[in-house]
Amino acid sequence: PACVLAECVENKGRFIKPLVEAIQAVCAEPTWVMPAHDRKLLNFEGKIVEIDLASSGVGINLAMAEVLLADRLPTKTRALIHEQLEQRIFSPFRDMALGKRSADWWMRTTNNWNAVCLANVVNSALCLLPTSADRAFFVACGELYSKSFLAGFPEDGYCTEGVGYWCYGFGHYLLLAEGTWQAT
């Protein structure tokens, strides 16, 4: 993200090469899922593609880089970003939402994972998916599954995970809501 913001500010191309190298390195990683969330190494070994806090975060960072820098990035790099997000984020999420595979546990949980992963996935889709029908599908899923996150708050708005997680989770819920509002 630092190279993306630096290039947006300076706009002289000085940060493009290191950014492209970083994007290529990230895309070459066997998984974007945190090791602590892949204890059986199923993602690392390519047996499954799950979405977690880290992988969805990588997804939104790549999507934002592509949107913010657009044609300043090489065509090959932009294609790589689209390909990797389709493989690691969009297709797995679509399959889970359509019941083609088991849904990751966070899709129906009441804690911060729900809001964080949904915000990152849906906003990545809003950034990169070419058709309004595709984007609408992800927005509808965001609306549906975020109800679980909101159900985790008692009437007084307290977060059972604590203030830090309230900020993290609810902050991402607001990013989901804002991205959806801006797109619609």
Side-chain angles (χ1 to χ4, degrees):
C3 285
V4 174
L5 295 176
E7 185 58 38
C8 287
V9 170
E10 189 177 89
N11 196 26
K12 294 182 180 176
R14 185 165 64 111
F15 298 98
I16 295 296
K17 185 174 187 257
L19 177 60
V20 167
E21 290 170 357
I23 290 169
Q24 291 169 340
V26 166
C27 290
E29 292 175 359
T31 183
W32 295 342
V33 174
M34 286 182 188
H37 303 155
D38 191 27
R39 292 188 178 151
K40 294 181 182 177
L41 300 177
L42 297 176
N43 289 280
F44 184 80
E45 294 172 353
K47 295 177 182 171
I48 191 168
V49 179
E50 293 174 307
I51 300 169
D52 76 343
L53 300 168
S55 65
S56 66
V58 170
I60 191 61
N61 284 338
L62 290 173
M64 292 301 297
E66 203 277 350
V67 166
L68 291 170
L69 297 176
D71 60 355
R72 289 183 270 175
L73 290 174
T75 303
K76 186 175 176 181
T77 302
R78 294 176 75 189
L80 178 63
I81 291 170
H82 285 261
E83 169 193 303
Q84 290 294 304
L85 264 80
E86 183 60 41
Q87 178 185 348
R88 298 180 194 238
I89 304 294
F90 303 144
S91 285
F93 185 83
R94 218 181 270 115
D95 287 351
M96 290 185 290
L98 294 172
K100 293 182 180 179
R101 65 178 259 196
S102 296
D104 287 347
W105 66 273
W106 58 261
M107 291 176 75
R108 296 214 184 264
T109 192
T110 58
N111 70 31
N112 72 85
W113 274 66
N114 178 280
V116 173
C117 293
L118 281 174
N120 291 339
V121 168
V122 172
N123 284 323
S124 294
L126 291 173
C127 286
L128 295 186
L129 293 180
T131 71
S132 59
D134 285 339
R135 294 187 303 272
F137 173 81
F138 280 81
V139 166
C141 288
E143 180 182 9
L144 173 67
Y145 293 111
S146 67
K147 290 176 183 176
S148 294
F149 173 70
L150 295 175
F153 291 95
E155 285 187 33
D156 64 1
Y158 176 75
C159 177
T160 57
E161 295 180 284
V163 173
Y165 280 109
W166 189 94
C167 293
Y168 181 54
F170 196 73
H172 276 81
Y173 176 78
L174 292 176
L175 291 172
L176 171 63
E178 180 67 16
T180 300
W181 183 77
Q182 291 291 332
T184 58

